[in-house]
Amino acid sequence: MKEVLNRRNTNPFWAKRSSLIVLFLVPLVWSLGFGQTVLYTYAQDVAPKFMLKGNSLTGFCHDIVVELNKELKSSGIRIEYKSNQLKTISEIFSALSKGEIQVFIGAAYDKQRGESANYLQPPLYGLREMFLVSAKEKEKFNEKLQVKIGVIGGTVTSESVPSIKVRQETVAFKNLDEALRALDERRIDAIFYSSLILGYTISASKGKYDYLTVPSEKYYHYIVYSKNLDKTVVEKLENVVKRLHSEGVIEKLIKKYSLEQYVSPGNTVEILTIDWKPYEWYDPVKKDWVGVDVDVVRAVLNKMGYKPVFITFPWPRCVELMKVGAYDGIMSLRISDERKGFLSFPEEPLSTGKDVLFKLKGSKVSINSLEGVPPETLCGYTDGYAYGDWFWNSRFRKIAVPTDEVGFKLLQGGRIELFVCNLLVGRQLAKELGINVEWSPTFGEKMIYYLAFSNNYQGTLLSENFSQVLRQFKSTKEYLQILSKYGITYEDFWK
């Protein structure tokens, strides 16, 4: 028997297997032996996420570790560094897959890495990709047709450099310090990396560096954990992250590092919209967005633990920004084949409406049927909106206008004879502009409107969860009260 044991212990395969078992059991041993579960982590070699001051770690993500430990203490869980040595992101994910560490604080989602590690919801913070340039060379950069762009090799960002020049070359560097030296020596023209790191670099440079105002995808950093981590521990981590958001802790850390311009809390959902009464509009008195869809979205996202922030641009611009994933969502809009290519639509719709033709009261143009509208009649429509086939297939002439309000003003001035618009929106606009109008019957199907999210990892998760919570919310008294507040009944939308 002794000989068998000795042979087993000297077998290389068995020795390797035993080492792996020991690595995976470390947290369990702590839990059983000392009443505390220790989750090991590493610090990444990038400022301001992690920085070394002497032998001590500091930085934005290190501060998050400190705050997490304050909240986890009562649960008998603690996050500890395996060592104070700074690691590359590739080394960190390798350590996660091997079981050397159990968690990492502050990683972007990557499909390949997601096969060996899990991503905790909700995210810690949101950020974007950006281009850093020398402040002195910024104007020259804008004039160049050919540029060299530095990236940090092995990062998610390095794999998604957008095309901003006729000819551009990507040069990989080991870390940001190497890339900055190359930029200072004019061996490269710009650096493409996350707004967290480059924003901090710009703030600390006192005018030496600047950034290019190029729309780029918004993405998130998460707590990443090993796939074998106990589900109970994962749930406690999730609850703690939610508390840090609800108590404004992450937001305070963002301000501590002067990152407000570059980073947002992970529970903030940025939604693009426009003035479109009674669905959504900006109230200058309240200095906030209101409307039936706004109130419903705000209530549903709050129940999910998220805080919506509404942002406006002209509608075509909103759509273009969502094509590059610059914001989290856009409302209220219809599904189309084109939009499904860059947006994630929830199964549950947000609201409905009917598109009709408006004309000035007393106009001789007949709108009782599409066939009765003379072919020479000029009808306005809002550029970028998705109308039904009945409209596009009709014989009358069509002209695009930038907004519904412009369309009604053109109708009022006799520049156009008809304007197609959502019935509720058109009646509201006509009332505010003091225009006496008439409208046609509904020629097409009922319009179904959605809050659509970015077609990426976080957007897909938000879309699925939003759909579930919205479906439940529609059966509540609170939902009916929101509809009633804007003079809408449940039957108006859903019957």
Side-chain angles (χ1 to χ4, degrees):
M1 182 68 174
K2 187 175 181 180
E3 289 179 2
V4 173
L5 289 176
N6 285 338
R7 284 200 299 271
R8 180 179 292 177
N9 289 336
T10 55
N11 186 302
F13 169 78
W14 178 255
K16 182 178 181 181
R17 187 175 177 184
S18 300
S19 299
L20 288 173
I21 291 173
V22 170
L23 283 171
F24 281 110
L25 286 178
V26 167
L28 181 61
V29 171
W30 270 89
S31 179
L32 294 176
F34 300 93
Q36 187 178 54
T37 299
V38 173
L39 306 177
Y40 285 110
T41 189
Y42 279 131
Q44 187 182 358
D45 184 15
V46 60
K49 291 173 69 176
F50 297 96
M51 297 177 283
L52 269 177
K53 287 190 175 181
N55 292 323
S56 300
L57 284 167
T58 184
F60 177 62
C61 287
H62 169 77
D63 287 355
I64 293 177
V65 172
V66 172
E67 296 297 334
L68 287 168
N69 280 335
K70 289 179 184 178
E71 296 287 336
L72 289 169
K73 186 176 181 181
S74 61
S75 300
I77 301 171
R78 179 171 177 80
I79 300 171
E80 287 189 3
Y81 293 101
K82 192 83 172 178
S83 76
N84 279 7
Q85 184 180 358
L86 299 175
K87 304 280 188 177
T88 65
I89 194 67
S90 297
E91 290 173 328
I92 289 167
F93 270 90
S94 176
L96 272 169
S97 64
K98 294 176 182 177
E100 294 176 16
I101 60 174
Q102 287 72 49
V103 295
F104 173 66
I105 313 303
Y109 174 77
D110 177 78
K111 186 175 181 180
Q112 184 176 355
R113 289 171 180 166
E115 295 175 359
S116 59
N118 290 330
Y119 289 76
L120 191 78
Q121 286 289 326
L124 291 172
Y125 49 89
L127 59 165
R128 290 177 171 82
E129 298 162 330
M130 63 185 290
F131 289 92
L132 178 144
V133 295
S134 167
K136 293 181 179 179
E137 300 292 320
K138 185 175 181 178
E139 292 302 320
K140 292 181 181 179
F141 181 93
N142 292 330
E143 297 170 359
K144 290 182 178 181
L145 296 178
Q146 183 173 350
V147 295
K148 289 185 178 180
I149 299 171
V151 298
I152 311 306
T155 62
V156 174
T157 309
S158 66
E159 301 170 1
S160 58
V161 182
S163 178
I164 60 171
K165 292 293 181 179
V166 175
R167 294 186 297 276
Q168 63 186 50
E169 177 186 347
T170 301
V171 183
F173 295 91
K174 183 179 179 181
N175 53 47
L176 181 60
D177 287 339
E178 286 186 3
L180 287 171
R181 281 196 296 272
L183 182 67
D184 293 341
E185 295 168 2
R186 298 184 182 179
R187 289 185 281 120
I188 58 174
D189 303 286
I191 299 172
F192 186 70
Y193 203 17
S194 82
S195 58
L196 167 64
I197 288 93
L198 296 188
Y200 178 78
T201 303
I202 291 170
S203 298
S205 74
K206 298 180 180 180
K208 182 178 180 180
Y209 301 117
D210 201 350
Y211 67 94
L212 302 177
T213 53
V214 178
S216 60
E217 181 181 2
K218 180 181 180 182
Y219 64 105
Y220 289 88
H221 278 182
Y222 305 82
I223 293 178
V224 188
Y225 61 95
S226 59
K227 287 187 175 289
N228 71 311
L229 192 60
D230 184 82
K231 290 183 179 179
T232 303
V233 176
V234 174
E235 289 175 2
K236 289 178 179 179
L237 282 170
E238 287 178 347
N239 291 332
V240 165
V241 173
K242 290 177 182 177
R243 284 206 300 274
L244 292 184
H245 282 311
S246 64
E247 295 168 3
V249 174
I250 302 296
E251 187 174 4
K252 290 176 183 176
L253 292 179
I254 290 171
K255 292 179 179 178
K256 175 182 175 180
Y257 288 87
S258 302
L259 293 169
E260 302 98 312
Q261 188 178 351
Y262 310 104
V263 179
S264 61
N267 66 331
T268 297
V269 180
E270 297 175 318
I271 301 171
L272 298 180
T273 189
I274 60 169
D275 282 331
W276 207 50
K277 291 183 180 180
Y279 296 93
E280 54 254 5
W281 77 94
Y282 185 78
D283 188 326
V285 177
K286 293 183 179 180
K287 295 183 179 180
D288 200 1
W289 285 85
V290 296
V292 60
D293 283 359
V294 168
D295 288 4
V296 170
V297 167
R298 185 176 279 125
V300 172
L301 286 176
N302 284 342
K303 292 179 186 298
M304 293 168 57
Y306 289 89
K307 176 184 175 183
V309 173
F310 300 96
I311 301 164
T312 189
F313 295 98
W315 183 252
R317 177 66 171 162
C318 289
V319 175
E320 289 303 314
L321 287 168
M322 290 306 298
K323 286 182 179 179
V324 297
Y327 294 90
D328 297 298
I330 181 171
M331 59 183 275
S332 302
L333 76 172
R334 295 181 63 206
I335 293 178
S336 70
D337 289 339
E338 180 198 3
R339 290 171 177 175
K340 284 192 290 186
F342 61 92
L343 293 173
S344 177
F345 285 88
E347 290 185 4
E348 192 68 21
L350 181 59
S351 57
T352 69
K354 300 175 182 178
D355 284 348
V356 297
L357 298 174
F358 284 87
K359 71 172 185 175
L360 291 180
K361 195 166 187 177
S363 168
K364 295 180 180 180
V365 177
S366 174
I367 55 174
N368 292 326
S369 68
L370 288 175
E371 294 76 14
V373 180
E376 66 273 13
T377 304
L378 184 59
C379 179
Y381 68 91
T382 301
D383 188 28
Y385 284 16
Y387 299 100
D389 290 340
W390 70 268
F391 175 72
W392 299 115
N393 294 335
S394 57
R395 297 181 303 160
F396 50 75
R397 295 186 297 149
K398 303 169 185 69
I399 183 172
V401 301
T403 66
D404 287 339
E405 184 176 359
V406 170
F408 270 85
K409 287 180 177 179
L410 291 174
L411 186 67
Q412 183 181 32
R415 303 284 297 278
I416 58 176
E417 297 164 279
L418 299 177
F419 186 70
V420 61
C421 188
N422 174 284
L423 177 59
L424 295 177
V425 175
R427 285 163 53 181
Q428 182 73 36
L429 272 171
K431 181 180 178 181
E432 291 180 357
L433 294 171
I435 309 173
N436 290 322
V437 294
E438 297 176 354
W439 52 87
S440 71
T442 304
F443 297 124
E445 72 279 11
K446 180 181 284 188
M447 301 292 102
I448 310 298
Y449 305 127
Y450 295 83
L451 163 59
F453 296 90
S454 287
N455 194 16
N456 55 25
Y457 174 71
Q458 185 62 21
T460 301
L461 291 176
L462 283 173
S463 179
E464 293 172 355
N465 294 334
F466 181 83
S467 188
Q468 295 174 10
V469 180
L470 174 59
R471 188 178 299 115
Q472 296 167 358
F473 184 66
K474 286 180 180 177
S475 64
T476 66
K477 183 179 179 181
E478 185 181 352
Y479 177 70
L480 296 178
Q481 289 173 338
I482 291 175
L483 297 186
S484 177
K485 176 181 175 181
Y486 295 97
I488 300 169
T489 67
Y490 187 90
E491 288 71 23
D492 288 335
F493 275 172
W494 310 115
K495 298 296 183 181

